[in-house]
Amino acid sequence: MDIDEHTTTAGIDLAHPAMPPTAITIRRIVDGFKSFQVLRAGFASGLFDWLAQHGPAEKSTIAAATGLRGAHLGGFLQALEDLGLLARNEQRYALASDMKEVLCSSSPWCQAGTLDDLFAPANGWSGLARFLSDTWSPATALLPPPPARHPFLGEACRLAAHLAARRGDTPPDRLLCFDGGDGLLTAALARHFPDAGITAVIAPAALERAHRTLAAFPIGDRCRVVPGSPLDPPAGQFDQVVVFHALYPIRRAMSDALAILASLLAPGGELVLAHWFCLEACETAPGGLRDLDKAVLTDSHPLCHVEGFCARLEGAGLVGAERADLESDYGVTKLHFARSPNGH
């Protein structure tokens, strides 16, 4: 039933309105949205690019050059300064000294597209109520953002560096990567293991995304891209099999998936898993926005029962199972390692 707000507020005493003190909590949240809109307007108006070329500049000069209304420009510029995006000296405005890379369209790190992506129908953040509803049906998948803005860039690079350090003087010759990061981990592994033959297995729905991502890197013909999943892998035996955020869709067939992954290892080969796990009994903890980020990125629940996952690997016929933590932009990614029992 719709609520008539005029009726529900008619009893307010205008002499002593006494707004609940808790309303400040909501206002702080709303201010976050307003700050977002200030940033978005800075990109959309071309202000950041103009200041990068012509700043420092006075307000009147900025108004004339950008077409922004002078009556409101002072508040707008002040809001950008309050956010740390602009700097002011003697009434002349310029980009803050460390902000050019993320604010200017000429930079590969420009974040304007990150804001635009939030409004795409396929992005759960564009309508979180729809995403959280049990009637949610994903729209057509977005094309991947440029690598510099991809949400998995930092984690993929850190994981590849971690694996390279772990391998030391014994890099893999044959590497299989189930890449749930649109090819980013594959590209990072190719950089650290330049002599390895790499096969990237990509979910069929994400193939175009992966091809676009990998095209940005000079991998040459060292990387073969095939559709599949841990339940539907390519044939062959590999020195290292890496599974990066690719187990969530097949969580109900985890035992089968682990057995199949174990069968792909050459004697002495190593299996590496990198995934998010929930807390025991799927409890929650502060940091819910990051949990929602993970949900939107994967359209899935994290894996469960991290405390018993090493045992599951050993139950699949592997040995030497161990666990490690990898910091990511969304919290901790749990790494699991195990190897074929046939190695020396």
Side-chain angles (χ1 to χ4, degrees):
M1 181 176 66
D2 292 337
I3 297 176
D4 186 339
E5 292 187 20
H6 290 84
T7 300
T8 60
T9 59
I12 290 177
D13 181 354
L14 294 181
H16 305 284
M19 180 181 291
T22 48
I24 192 64
T25 299
I26 306 302
R27 288 191 172 185
R28 287 196 195 104
I29 296 170
V30 173
D31 278 350
F33 172 78
K34 294 173 183 176
S35 294
F36 173 86
Q37 293 290 24
V38 168
L39 173 60
R40 196 173 179 219
F43 283 122
S45 66
L47 173 65
F48 299 141
D49 284 341
W50 187 87
L51 281 177
Q53 295 183 38
H54 304 288
E58 295 181 350
K59 185 174 68 171
S60 58
T61 304
I62 294 171
T66 62
L68 293 169
R69 289 197 284 169
H72 309 300
L73 187 54
F76 180 47
L77 295 174
Q78 182 63 56
L80 290 168
E81 183 182 354
D82 294 342
L83 292 171
L85 305 179
L86 301 188
R88 178 172 46 157
N89 184 23
E90 296 183 353
Q91 306 308 312
R92 303 178 76 214
Y93 293 87
L95 295 182
S97 60
D98 56 350
M99 285 291 160
K100 184 174 181 179
E101 281 190 313
V102 294
L103 295 180
C104 293
S105 61
S106 58
S107 168
W109 301 101
C110 180
Q111 297 299 300
T114 301
L115 277 64
D116 293 339
D117 289 346
L118 292 173
F119 291 89
N123 190 321
W125 283 114
S126 70
L128 191 61
R130 286 187 300 108
F131 176 79
L132 295 173
S133 168
D134 59 11
T135 63
W136 165 260
S137 179
T140 304
L142 291 166
L143 291 177
R149 288 197 288 105
H150 198 287
F152 282 130
L153 175 64
E155 184 177 353
C157 292
R158 285 189 289 272
L159 177 57
H162 182 89
L163 297 183
R166 180 181 173 87
R167 298 289 303 202
D169 296 331
T170 58
D173 290 326
R174 297 159 297 169
L175 196 157
L176 180 65
C177 180
F178 293 88
D179 195 337
D182 292 327
L184 275 176
L185 180 61
T186 301
L189 290 171
R191 180 186 181 280
H192 284 281
F193 300 128
D195 298 321
I198 301 178
T199 300
V201 183
I202 307 294
L207 267 179
E208 183 180 0
R209 293 172 60 91
H211 280 299
R212 284 177 174 261
T213 298
L214 289 168
F217 300 97
I219 295 177
D221 58 0
R222 292 190 297 113
C223 178
R224 181 170 66 110
V225 179
V226 299
S229 78
L231 290 174
D232 182 26
Q237 294 260 287
F238 301 88
D239 303 311
Q240 190 172 53
V241 175
V242 183
V243 188
F244 182 61
H245 294 301
L247 287 175
Y248 309 119
I250 55 174
R251 57 191 302 116
R252 297 185 184 279
M254 187 66 70
S255 296
D256 292 339
L258 294 180
I260 291 171
L261 292 170
S263 73
L264 297 170
L265 294 172
E270 182 181 54
L271 175 65
V272 181
L273 308 177
H275 293 81
W276 292 314
F277 279 78
C278 64
L279 299 178
E280 187 173 351
C282 298
E283 288 290 337
T284 59
L289 276 180
R290 298 291 77 81
D291 289 340
L292 288 172
D293 270 330
K294 297 171 189 176
V296 168
L297 285 171
T298 64
D299 197 17
S300 182
H301 188 279
L303 300 184
C304 297
H305 304 299
V306 68
E307 70 280 358
F309 214 77
C310 284
R312 297 196 73 168
L313 291 171
E314 293 175 350
L318 301 173
V319 298
E322 58 182 291
R323 191 176 89 197
D325 290 347
L326 181 75
E327 291 296 329
S328 80
D329 295 327
Y330 307 98
V332 175
T333 296
K334 297 295 184 180
L335 307 184
H336 287 88
F337 304 91
R339 67 180 188 277
S340 165
N342 300 320
H344 300 292

